[in-house]
Every structure is written in C-alpha cells, then in structure tokens.
Amino acid sequence: MTTIKNNSPLMAEIGRIAEVAGYLWTKGWAERNGGNISVNLTGLLTDEEMALPALAPATELQETMTSLGGNVFYVTGTGKRMRYVAQDPFANGALIRIAPDGKSYDIIAEQPVRPTSELPSHLLMHNYLRSLGRDNRVVLHTHPTELIGMTHCKPFLDSKVLTRTLWSMIPECRIIVPKGVGIVPYEIPGTIELAHATIRQLEKHDVVFWEKHGILAVGEDLIECFDAIDTLSKSAQIYISARMAGYEPVGMTDQQLDDLVPAFGL
C-alpha cells in the first residue's frame, strides 16, 4: 500500500510545516483556529504518490486554476488549531490534488480533513504567481498582534508609509523584506474579493497586510516566509515600544536605508 510517510524528503517538508505552525502558536499569532498554511509539494511526490486514490468526493473550485492542474498541496484544515498542526499535521491538514483541468480538487492523504476556508485565496495566489513563472510554493497567513494593530491607524493604510516606518526600525527589515508591504483594505475573510484584492498587491510585494485581520507572505520557502513576517513584527514592536515610552521613534534616515541596497545587493 502506497503511503507518503515512506517518502523522506516529503516528510521532512511536512516537518517544516509543523515547525512553523508551532512558531505561529508560541508567538501568539494563531489564536484558536487563526491563520493557515499551504505549500506546493508536487516536486517531492513520486508518480505513484501523485496517483493516490481520493479519500472523499471531489470538490469543485469557485474559479478554474489553469496553472495548478495536477499539482498537490499540503493545506491546513478548516477549524484546525496551529498548536495541533504542530503536534500532528496529518490530523489537522491534508494533501489535496488539483484536477488536471484545474476545476476541482481531491483529498488524497492522509486523512479526509477539509481544507481551510481561505483555500480559494491560497489557490488563486498560487495560480496567479505560477502563471507569471514565479517559483512560488508557499502561502502563509497569520495574525501578528502588533502588525494588525498598526492597520487600525489610518496613516498606516498607505503602503509607502507603513513600509517606510517598518523598514526604518531595524536594518534587517529593509534587507529581509526588500519589496516592502502591500495593503488590502478590509474584506470579509475567506472571500474571492479578498483573494483578488491580494493578487493585485502581489504584483509588487511578497508580503501583504489584510486590514484589521492579518498578514500573509508568499515565496519559495516556508521558513523564509515566516522570517519575513517575524522581522516585520519585530519592527512593529520597536515602533510601538517607543510610542508607549512617550516619543516618536526617529527611525533610520533615507540615506541609511539607501546604503543597504548596494551593501546587500537589494
């Protein structure tokens, strides 16, 4: 009987997903069932594993994913807690296989766990980025307290203002998040409208804020996506700590930020 648990490279990637899920929980970014993760695992599966039988009837997608036909993703489950994903990723998430025509998906391993309600947003982002030829494997969404708090302040709903503020708190933020951050005005979570608004921000950014909701990062590597959000969170904490102490932080100057570009090849 074919089981993906005999696939060492695949299981190592599942282990990384569990590791990051644990970080999200211990950081306080994943209250109850907050946040979700999707990772494209297609290149890690054998042909036999790619053809595993479905564990439940196929589910039709709201939009056709023309660039994802035949791809397999690990997706955290709807209503599942990150703290439990960290303990047992297969009881709290599943592998889904997109149909060749991109119109539906099957759950193929290891349990018939229904994917996150944010699945339409995740797949639309994966589909959009792959259609551009970007080697994107990961969409990570979570709820960092200080970063969400900043979206309740009207001036920070301007992408340039928020990016400049966060970049200026520590040099690493400019280095690790070189494209800055996009902003999506508030939309109901899990909707196609939210997904399409996010895609427009992904034209220029790899990290996008959802007003009064959370943040997401896309990229090739799950740990790198986590690190980008973690660095932004540290910048927000520095900014808010200064404000709580009673002063507006000066931040790095434009020249200091510009000097990082040639020094780190940004």
Side-chain angles (χ1 to χ4, degrees), residues 3-4 20 58 63 78 90 101 109 117 130 138 158 222 224 229 251:
T3 172
I4 61 172
V20 168
E63 296 193 21
T78 186
F90 288 124
D101 62 6
S117 62
R130 292 187 72 84
V138 176
D158 182 317
L222 181 58
E224 293 294 334
I229 297 174

Side-chain angles (χ1 to χ4, degrees), residues 5 18 30 32 39 103 114 144 156 170 210 213 233 242 254 259 261:
K5 292 185 176 180
R32 198 174 183 271
V39 181
K103 294 182 178 180
R114 305 305 302 179
F156 291 135
I170 47 173
W210 288 344
H213 178 173
S233 179
D254 289 342
D259 288 345
V261 175

